[in-house]
């Protein structure tokens, strides 16, 4: 299947969502994209949603919770937490602390908010939605790019579906207006792009197909790129792999060290073969423009590792966008 044209310019979107299965490298991709954007001079913020913060750690900083923290020039992060998000929202709408306390810190109201499904998530989404439209004193946007590190697959989808779900039950009033504006942002290809991250492995690839089908189908969101992360280098040519098999077959039982070496090399070769199959499967069934990211053999995933992935992303995006132009 030939890939669809790449979105015109990812760095011109203000609302960049990164989604995918748990543990596939979403936070790493957010950090690498954030670094690339900040180096272009875009004032960028990575928003993690109510999770154990990763973004600051990659840049040698401590988690900062619900506060914008500068990680490097032009790059910030925040952990969006439901309670302060609700508080901020309440204060924004109700203006006065006293009124806020009366309304939201009233025990009955607190209990009510806890039992309404999706309410916490709505405040998380509300905060990132507000970040997209937040202005500086001079009226210009506070952020050129907000990168949303979405929760893993199932939760991510229900989060993105939330405005739609709420619109179905509350189609009038201030709540509907607010949620309608959120939905408009999620569907707006000028501002928004949803990117997916996967590993070239069985389960992540399955989930990616499902996620893509939902995003493009019932959610109808504008798509960005598919990041295929953790790609192993090809260690041996087919001929050398054949020789390795032959060597394994003739090594005597007693040469256990040599056998262990051959076996572990053979396992690595096998892994790259599996990865190649899954990458071919992605290429065949999923026409999203693709960015391949190498597996990095590093002790610690720090800023220099992020920088390597970031460079790789920038190079590949330039090629893809050149093709799309
Ligand atoms: N390209 C890579 N090469 C080597 N290791 C990687 C690579 N990408 C990610 N990792 C490792 O995998 C770990 C998990 O990545 P990351 O935290 O980005 O996943 P995630 O999808 O955000 O996970 P979660 O769903 O838990 O939020 C990283 O801390 C890093 O150690
Ligand atoms: Mg993560």
């Amino acid at each position: 299947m030939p890939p669809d044209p790449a979105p015109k310019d990812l760095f011109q979107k203000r609302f960049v969502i990164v989604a995918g299965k748990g543990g596939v490298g979403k936070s790493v991709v957010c950090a690498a994209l954030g670094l690339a954007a900040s180096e272009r001079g875009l004032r960028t913020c990575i928003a993690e949603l109510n999770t154990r913060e990763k973004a600051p750690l990659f840049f040698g900083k401590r988690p900062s919770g619900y506060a914008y923290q500068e990680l490097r020039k032009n790059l910030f992060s925040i952990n969006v937490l439901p309670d302060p998000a609700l508080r901020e929202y309440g204060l924004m709408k109700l203006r006065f602390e006293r009124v806020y306390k009366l309304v939201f810190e009233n025990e009955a109201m607190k209990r009510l908010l806890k039992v309404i499904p999706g309410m916490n998530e709505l405040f998380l989404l509300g905060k990132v939605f507000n970040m997209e439209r937040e202005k500086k004193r001079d009226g210009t946007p506070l952020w050129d790019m907000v990168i949303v590190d979405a929760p893993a697959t199932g939760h991510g989808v229900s989060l993105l579906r939330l405005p739609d779900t709420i619109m179905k039950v509350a189609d009038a009033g201030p709540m509907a207006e607010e949620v309608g504006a959120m939905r408009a942002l999620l569907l707006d290809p000028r501002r928004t792009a949803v990117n997916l991250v996967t590993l070239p492995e069985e389960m992540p690839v399955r989930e990616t197909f499902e996620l893509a089908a939902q995003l493009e189908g019932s959610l109808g969101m504008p798509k960005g790129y598919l990041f295929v992360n953790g790609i192993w280098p090809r260690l041996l040519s087919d001929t050398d792999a054949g020789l390795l098999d032959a060597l394994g077959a003739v090594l005597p039982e007693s040469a256990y060290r040599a056998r262990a070496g051959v076996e572990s090399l053979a396992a690595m070769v096998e892994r790259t073969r599996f990865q190649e199959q899954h990458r071919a499967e992605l290429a065949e069934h999923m026409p999203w423009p693709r960015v391949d990211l190498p597996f990095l053999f590093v002790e610690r995933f720090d800023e220099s590792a992020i920088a390597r992935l970031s460079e790789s992303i920038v190079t590949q995006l330039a090629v893809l966008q050149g093709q799309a132009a």
Side-chain angles (χ1 to χ4, degrees), residues 38-320:
S38 70
E39 284 189 332
R40 291 185 164 218
L42 300 173
R43 207 176 130 85
T44 305
C45 188
I46 299 169
E48 301 191 73
L49 303 185
N50 195 20
T51 179
R52 204 136 42 121
E53 281 171 74
K54 273 283 186 78
L57 306 183
F58 294 136
F59 294 90
K61 306 268 182 196
R62 295 209 182 135
S64 66
Y66 195 76
Y68 296 135
Q69 173 174 212
E70 187 164 14
L71 306 178
R72 67 196 304 282
K73 186 163 185 265
N74 282 329
L75 183 62
F76 295 73
S77 74
I78 183 172
N79 189 10
V80 179
L81 304 168
D83 284 351
L86 163 65
R87 187 180 168 77
E88 189 182 305
Y89 179 79
L91 284 175
M92 195 169 77
K93 291 286 156 188
L94 300 173
R95 307 277 167 174
F96 303 107
E97 181 100 21
R98 203 168 53 80
V99 186
Y100 167 82
K101 282 199 173 133
L102 223 62
V103 178
F104 284 109
E105 289 191 356
N106 151 330
E107 279 310 311
M109 185 69 176
K110 270 199 198 156
R111 276 202 301 279
L112 183 67
L113 287 174
K114 287 225 163 69
V115 297
I116 302 177
M119 221 49 192
N120 271 352
E121 283 70 21
L122 185 64
F123 295 125
L124 303 182
L125 200 59
K127 171 64 180 176
V128 287
F129 165 70
N130 278 330
M131 286 171 69
E132 192 271 338
R133 60 181 179 180
E134 210 167 348
K135 299 281 191 291
K136 290 191 240 166
R137 282 229 180 94
D138 65 4
T140 59
L142 178 58
W143 303 113
D144 298 314
M145 189 188 268
V146 176
I147 301 177
V148 183
D149 191 342
T153 316
H155 288 114
V157 168
S158 41
L159 184 79
L160 296 173
R161 205 182 286 292
L162 206 53
D164 226 22
T165 313
I166 293 175
M167 296 282 283
K168 287 202 180 103
V169 291
D171 56 2
M175 172 91 161
E177 218 168 87
E178 198 79 6
V179 171
M182 274 184 209
R183 189 162 173 266
L185 170 63
L186 294 182
L187 298 181
D188 182 0
R190 284 175 305 123
R191 290 180 290 168
T192 299
V194 191
N195 303 277
L196 293 177
V197 185
T198 190
L199 295 172
E201 291 169 13
E202 176 92 28
M203 290 310 290
V205 166
R206 295 274 152 277
E207 278 197 27
T208 303
F209 287 153
E210 283 166 27
L211 198 51
Q214 299 202 47
L215 289 169
E216 291 183 86
S218 55
L219 281 165
M221 293 183 63
K223 69 180 171 195
Y225 292 87
L226 170 63
F227 293 89
V228 184
N229 187 29
I231 298 177
W232 273 48
R234 205 160 199 268
L235 297 170
L236 297 178
S237 68
D238 286 343
T239 318
D240 289 344
L243 290 175
L244 187 71
D245 287 343
L247 181 62
V250 297
L251 276 176
E253 286 290 333
S254 57
Y256 59 91
R257 279 182 177 230
R259 288 181 73 93
V262 165
E263 272 166 27
S264 82
L265 198 51
M268 289 191 228
V269 168
E270 193 60 14
R271 181 166 186 171
T272 52
R273 280 207 190 112
F274 275 130
Q275 286 205 342
E276 277 166 21
Q277 282 168 14
H278 292 302
R279 288 169 65 195
E281 202 184 348
L282 284 167
E284 194 180 332
H285 299 291
M286 199 166 149
W288 286 44
R290 238 181 359 264
V291 174
D292 290 338
L293 297 176
F295 185 91
L296 299 183
F297 297 87
V298 289
E299 294 262 321
R300 263 182 357 101
F301 224 87
D302 57 9
E303 184 166 347
S304 67
I306 297 294
R308 282 166 68 186
L309 295 182
S310 182
E311 271 167 37
S312 171
I313 291 176
V314 168
T315 314
Q316 294 180 68
L317 289 188
V319 173
L320 288 165

